[in-house]
């Protein structure tokens, strides 16, 4: 995990309603406490696979952004004061601009008002749906390529 | 580089010609975001990653057909009226094709161009929204002009139908005129006119056709298309049902 990713995670947690978050993966373990005023980030070699020595030639195809998404995913999504982005129409929900492209947003992505977060296809019309708030995506509520109803919540957003 | 001599008011006054590009819709989306004027056309001889509907490729032999995209700003349409885009484009394609091969040109729900029961053109529409209104629309159009061979596809071209080699540029100029005329009709909110003609030229209307849905194969009589854009069928038991695009497919008899 890069320093920047840790920073983003801390920002995310500090803006959330959570007091304490503990995240553990194969390669790291991080514990963030809010009201204690201290941040403890201890890299612990839990699994035999040691954390990759950062620079160059990473043998594994997994690139940096993936663990970031995984790391933030297990954080229990607070239902406290979150907004939802809802579907303005009946249609099919797509997370990327076209098949094979990366998703517009992931859990943990910062979004600003007017930013495209997904596509809803209806009657062969592909509609880019924009966020109506500034904030951070805390939950993706619908699977890619599934049908959605009018006004159905698509994303949970922690307002900035 | 690519000058279009046509009597349109706004369509094609600005043309971006690319000998080869990934997808004209992607370029046009970028131009839309950069506030290029409404009616800007992006055209190419060769699309390397041409797209039809999501995941479907659009393959055209380089230099034989028209593949282009247009930037529109249909801010006068509410999201609930977005089907109007399918109405104007498919009618424009039909008008244009009918000028060569009337009266075989038809609209296949929701927005394909069919001539003599075979596909001659397809459309890919990508919209941006602002609240409950449309903001921008990139309309990608592919029509078969001089291509002679469509292996394994139920497709045709103007050349196959007319027996003549057509000049691409003049075909494009004609098509742009048709598109502008229908777009202005939509802008005037002439819904009754658009719907009446859409139904008049709707492929299979009033006929019993075979369809498949998740429930299986059945025969239904095509009654029309409702305001939401759903295909309305009279079911075998005499009831009426409406199907959104994607929930139903046509079963065509083999052409030969």
């Amino acid at each position: 995990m890069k320093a920047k990713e840790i920073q983003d995670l801390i920002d995310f947690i500090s803006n959330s309603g959570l007091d304490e978050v503990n995240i553990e993966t194969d390669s790291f373990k991080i514990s963030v406490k809010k009201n204690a005023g201290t941040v403890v980030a201890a890299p612990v070699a839990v699994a035999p696979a040691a954390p990759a020595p950062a620079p160059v030639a990473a043998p594994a195809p997994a690139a940096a952004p993936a663990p970031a998404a995984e790391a933030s995913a297990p954080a229990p999504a607070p239902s406290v004061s979150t907004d939802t982005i809802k579907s303005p129409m009946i249609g099919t929900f797509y997370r990327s601009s076209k098949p094979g492209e990366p998703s517009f947003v992931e859990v943990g992505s910062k979004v600003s008002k007017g930013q495209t977060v997904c596509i809803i296809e209806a009657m062969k019309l592909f509609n880019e749906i924009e966020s109506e708030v500034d904030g951070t995506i805390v939950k993706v509520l619908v699977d890619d390529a599934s049908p959605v109803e009018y006004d159905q919540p698509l994303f949970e957003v922690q307002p900035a | 580089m690519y000058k279009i001599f046509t009597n349109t008011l706004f369509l094609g006054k600005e043309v971006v010609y690319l000998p080869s590009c990934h997808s004209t819709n992607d370029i046009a989306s970028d131009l839309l975001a950069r506030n290029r004027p409404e009616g800007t056309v992006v055209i190419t001889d060769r699309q390397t990653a041409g797209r039809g509907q999501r995941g479907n490729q659009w393959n055209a032999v380089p230099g034989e057909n028209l593949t282009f995209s247009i930037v529109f700003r249909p801010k006068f349409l509410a999201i609930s009226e977005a089907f109007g885009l399918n109405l104007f484009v498919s009618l424009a394609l039909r008008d244009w094709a009918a000028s060569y091969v009337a009266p075989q040109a038809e609209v296949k729900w929701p927005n394909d161009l069919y001539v003599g029961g075979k596909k001659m053109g397809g459309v890919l529409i990508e919209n941006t929204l602002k609240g409950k209104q449309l903001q921008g629309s990139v309309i990608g159009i592919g029509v078969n002009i001089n291509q002679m061979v469509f292996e394994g596809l139920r497709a045709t071209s103007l050349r196959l139908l007319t027996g003549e080699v057509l000049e691409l540029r003049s075909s494009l100029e004609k098509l742009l005129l048709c598109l502008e005329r229908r777009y202005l009709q939509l802008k005037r909110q002439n819904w009754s006119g658009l719907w009446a003609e859409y139904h008049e030229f709707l492929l299979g209307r009033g006929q019993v056709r075979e369809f498949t849905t998740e429930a299986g194969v059945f025969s239904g009589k095509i009654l029309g298309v409702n305001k939401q854009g759903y295909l309305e069928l009279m079911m075998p038991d005499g009831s009426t049902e409406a199907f959104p695009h994607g929930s139903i497919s046509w079963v065509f008899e083999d052409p030969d």
Side-chain angles (χ1 to χ4, degrees), chain B residues 71-88:
Chain B
V71 172
F72 287 99
R73 292 198 172 76
K75 296 178 187 176
F76 54 90
L77 287 178
I79 291 176
S80 57
E81 298 170 323
F83 198 81
L85 296 172
N86 283 335
L87 295 181
F88 104 81

Side-chain angles (χ1 to χ4, degrees), chain A residues 48-70:
Chain A
V56 213
E70 278 169 25

